[in-house]
Amino acid sequence: PVLVHENLSHPKVDALRAKLPKAARSDASLYDRVRAISAWIAGSFEHRSSDRASLYAPWDAETILAWGASDTGHAGQTTITMCVHYAVAFVSACQVSNISARCAVTTGALDSGVGHFVAEVWLPDLQKWIMVDPNIDYIVRQGDNLLSLPEIHALGPRIKECIDYGAG
């Protein structure tokens, strides 16, 4: 389906865009901007699951970033910030940068807690979505070929050989 971006002149969009690292707002290549946003998100807050926190952060990039940076949410409660929050904040940051991005869920079994929440970015030059994991700042590639989720799935255990970590 056609991706519909937010109104790029909306004040909330401007506020998030202003928080982006300089490298993400530059005239750098699309790939370099994506990597800059992923590294920034990966380093913006601590991954914290429900066994270490009590308040689930909402799916709003600015709130995730603010609560994650302060380690607290409403009434001083420690916030749960997991892989989903990294992906949501990353996708929002990409979209305010006019980069087509979406969230994606991977799972080892349906109806289970076995899985991970990542993001995908559309690369027009490659005519495909590539996976970006802003939780730990990596993409998957075979040589110069950046991989989509179906291509990653086909790798099976060989994925370990193809992980390209960023600076985050």
Side-chain angles (χ1 to χ4, degrees):
V2 175
L3 238 96
V4 178
H5 288 276
E6 296 293 333
N7 176 349
L8 293 179
S9 63
H10 190 280
K12 191 163 176 89
V13 170
D14 286 340
L16 180 56
R17 189 183 299 117
K19 290 179 171 82
L20 295 174
K22 188 177 180 179
R25 292 181 277 136
S26 71
D27 290 335
S29 72
L30 174 61
Y31 176 78
D32 288 342
R33 291 172 43 227
V34 166
R35 289 313 297 250
I37 293 170
S38 179
W40 173 63
I41 294 294
S44 290
F45 51 94
E46 179 185 351
H47 184 281
R48 194 176 300 110
S49 63
S50 58
D51 61 344
R52 298 182 45 228
S54 56
L55 182 65
Y56 195 82
W59 289 30
D60 172 76
E62 285 192 277
T63 305
I64 292 167
L65 291 164
W67 287 14
S70 69
D71 290 330
T72 57
H74 295 303
Q77 294 182 54
T78 306
T79 57
I80 298 168
T81 46
M82 300 186 299
C83 55
V84 63
H85 300 100
Y86 288 87
V88 166
F90 172 81
V91 166
S92 294
C94 283
Q95 289 180 347
V96 302
S97 301
N98 209 23
I99 298 170
S100 294
R102 64 187 184 187
C103 293
V105 178
T106 64
T107 184
L110 294 177
D111 297 324
S112 78
V114 179
H116 192 42
F117 210 93
V118 296
E120 293 179 298
V121 173
W122 178 256
L123 294 183
D125 292 349
L126 300 178
Q127 286 293 293
K128 68 179 179 180
W129 293 95
I130 63 146
M131 191 279 299
V132 178
D133 185 342
N135 188 156
I136 43 184
D137 189 23
Y138 77 86
I139 60 165
V140 182
R141 66 169 58 229
Q142 284 184 305
D144 290 336
N145 185 25
L146 303 171
L147 301 184
S148 66
L149 281 169
E151 291 168 325
I152 292 167
H153 179 72
L155 285 175
R158 293 179 302 136
I159 187 175
K160 294 176 187 171
E161 307 160 13
C162 301
I163 293 175
D164 183 11
Y165 292 99

